[in-house]
Amino acid sequence: MSTVTIEERVAKLEGLVDGLRDRRASADTPGRDDWRGTVGMFANDDVMQEILDEAQRIREADRRQADAC
């Protein structure tokens, strides 16, 4: 059996916990408020406006078709 002291074991565990915290802090996973970075990213974008206009036309056509039933 190893003769590692409690102090050595605690020090090793503390190092592991610190490493996990560092890795978590630097992870590229999205956070709770990361959606805020996307607000306005398509402002003044002609292609995105075309997409939105076409989507609106499709929705209106779907509504007319549903109303006709």
Side-chain angles (χ1 to χ4, degrees):
M1 197 164 157
S2 148
T3 58
V4 178
T5 66
I6 280 286
E7 290 82 8
E8 291 170 328
R9 291 179 66 191
V10 169
K12 184 174 182 177
L13 288 172
E14 287 174 340
L16 289 171
V17 169
D18 288 342
L20 290 171
R21 282 187 186 145
D22 292 343
R23 193 166 40 166
R24 183 174 177 222
S26 66
D28 291 335
T29 57
R32 187 178 144 230
D33 294 331
D34 282 355
W35 64 270
R36 295 177 191 217
T38 63
V39 172
M41 72 186 306
F42 293 110
N44 302 319
D45 186 320
D46 294 336
V47 174
M48 189 61 178
Q49 190 59 51
E50 287 180 40
I51 293 169
L52 294 174
D53 291 344
E54 182 61 24
Q56 185 65 34
R57 281 192 288 276
I58 292 169
R59 285 194 297 271
E60 289 171 359
D62 286 346
R63 282 190 205 107
R64 284 193 298 274
Q65 185 179 9
D67 288 342
C69 293

